Amino acid sequence: MSDGAGVLIVFEGGEGSGKSTQLRRVSATLARRTVAHVCLREPGGTPLGTEVRRMLLDRASDVAHRAEALLFMASRAQLVEREIRPALDRGDVVLLDRFFLSTYAYQIAGHGLPEDEVRAANRFATGGLVPELTLLLTFPVTEGLARAARRATAHDRMESMGEVFHRRVAAAFDTFADASWQRDHPECGPIVGIDAEGPEEDVTKRVATALSARWPGTFLRTGS
Ligand code: T5A
């Protein structure tokens, strides 16, 4: 970030953990400090990805588990090629709401798809792109689902998969910040766990601490 090279920062976590809220807050900080950046999300972020997102989240869709994994990856491949790589080449900061850790949590741990095969397919989808940093927001499953339920729209297809499924997802997310798990999964880059309980402002301070530890020149500046 300090030398003008683009960086990819990913926000991950279970349903309703507050990722999107914190991403918007980091975006506001970067905007105040006139740091060129783009905000993207998965699935989505391109016309093709938006169409895939609609199919994946529509409760009326019948999607087999392997098809589901491949649809998330199709959206991802399009996003990497059309938006993320060009932004990084311009030197922008890319703030990304979910990336392939979500596939590891939802499709591998949640649905029980074979890890080696999904990792290989994902490598193909990303072309080997590794995030500079992933902020993993940890939040109790039931409270996250309750937050999601309070939104104006009904639970989407993924949210509707039930508490047992979401507990498997949360248990997987819980392991991703471990040093040993990260050593075994170098394609994920560094992952920092953020306690997402408490008021938004408190979570924002924890996010800022993690970001300024990595990029003090951008995030530790005072007065803005
Ligand atoms: N998926 C995705 C896969 O299965 N595999 C994959 O590979 C990928 C990429 C995406 C779905 O797809 C799945 C995961 C998901 O199920 P989505 O709509 O993008 O669907 O869902 P989420 O990413 O889960 O988005 P959410 O909006 O549900 O969750 P967020 O982003 O964690 O939460 P946020 O910030 O929108 O906040 C939710 C509510 O809580 C409030 C906010 O104001 C908002 O109302 N809130 C707080 N309230 C109190 N205190 C705080 N600290 C708060 N922070 C936020």
Side-chain angles (χ1 to χ4, degrees), residues 21-35:
T21 302
Q22 295 302 324
L23 185 152
R24 280 194 297 275
R25 285 173 162 249
V26 172
S27 170
T29 300
L30 292 178
R32 275 199 305 277
R33 295 174 184 187
T34 61
V35 177

Side-chain angles (χ1 to χ4, degrees), residues 37-194:
H37 67 285
V38 293
C39 300
L40 297 167
R41 73 170 174 183
E42 276 211 11
T46 64
L48 183 141
T50 301
E51 186 60 19
V52 169
R53 180 184 176 89
R54 188 193 59 71
M55 287 192 281
L56 279 166
L57 300 187
D58 185 349
R59 288 178 70 158
S61 298
D62 171 27
V63 190
H65 293 169
R66 282 167 188 265
E68 179 183 294
L70 290 169
L71 283 169
F72 277 114
M73 289 188 213
S75 171
R76 177 168 307 142
Q78 187 77 0
L79 189 68
V80 166
E81 189 135 341
R82 294 284 190 265
E83 298 292 336
I84 299 177
R85 292 262 189 216
L88 295 175
D89 289 346
R90 288 195 301 271
D92 289 359
V93 175
V94 176
L95 302 179
L96 181 54
D97 195 340
R98 294 194 185 277
F99 198 30
F100 58 85
L101 268 194
S102 285
T103 304
Y104 287 18
Y106 286 79
Q107 280 68 50
I108 296 176
H111 289 324
L113 289 177
E115 176 171 0
D116 288 353
E117 292 173 34
V118 174
R119 280 174 83 184
N122 184 66
R123 204 157 37 243
F124 178 70
T126 62
L129 181 63
V130 180
E132 267 71 24
L133 184 66
T134 294
L135 300 172
L136 175 54
L137 274 68
T138 57
F139 193 68
V141 181
T142 42
E143 290 175 43
L145 286 170
R147 265 188 194 168
R150 281 196 290 274
R151 282 186 306 226
T153 49
H155 266 155
D156 63 38
R157 197 181 63 85
M158 298 303 297
E159 286 165 352
S160 307
M161 285 192 181
E163 199 175 317
V164 173
F165 171 83
H166 286 288
R167 284 199 184 284
R168 283 200 296 275
V169 170
F173 272 130
D174 280 347
T175 64
F176 296 162
D178 292 350
S180 62
W181 191 91
Q182 292 185 44
R183 254 194 318 276
D184 292 341
H185 298 80
E187 74 276 19
C188 299
I191 301 165
V192 175
I194 304 281

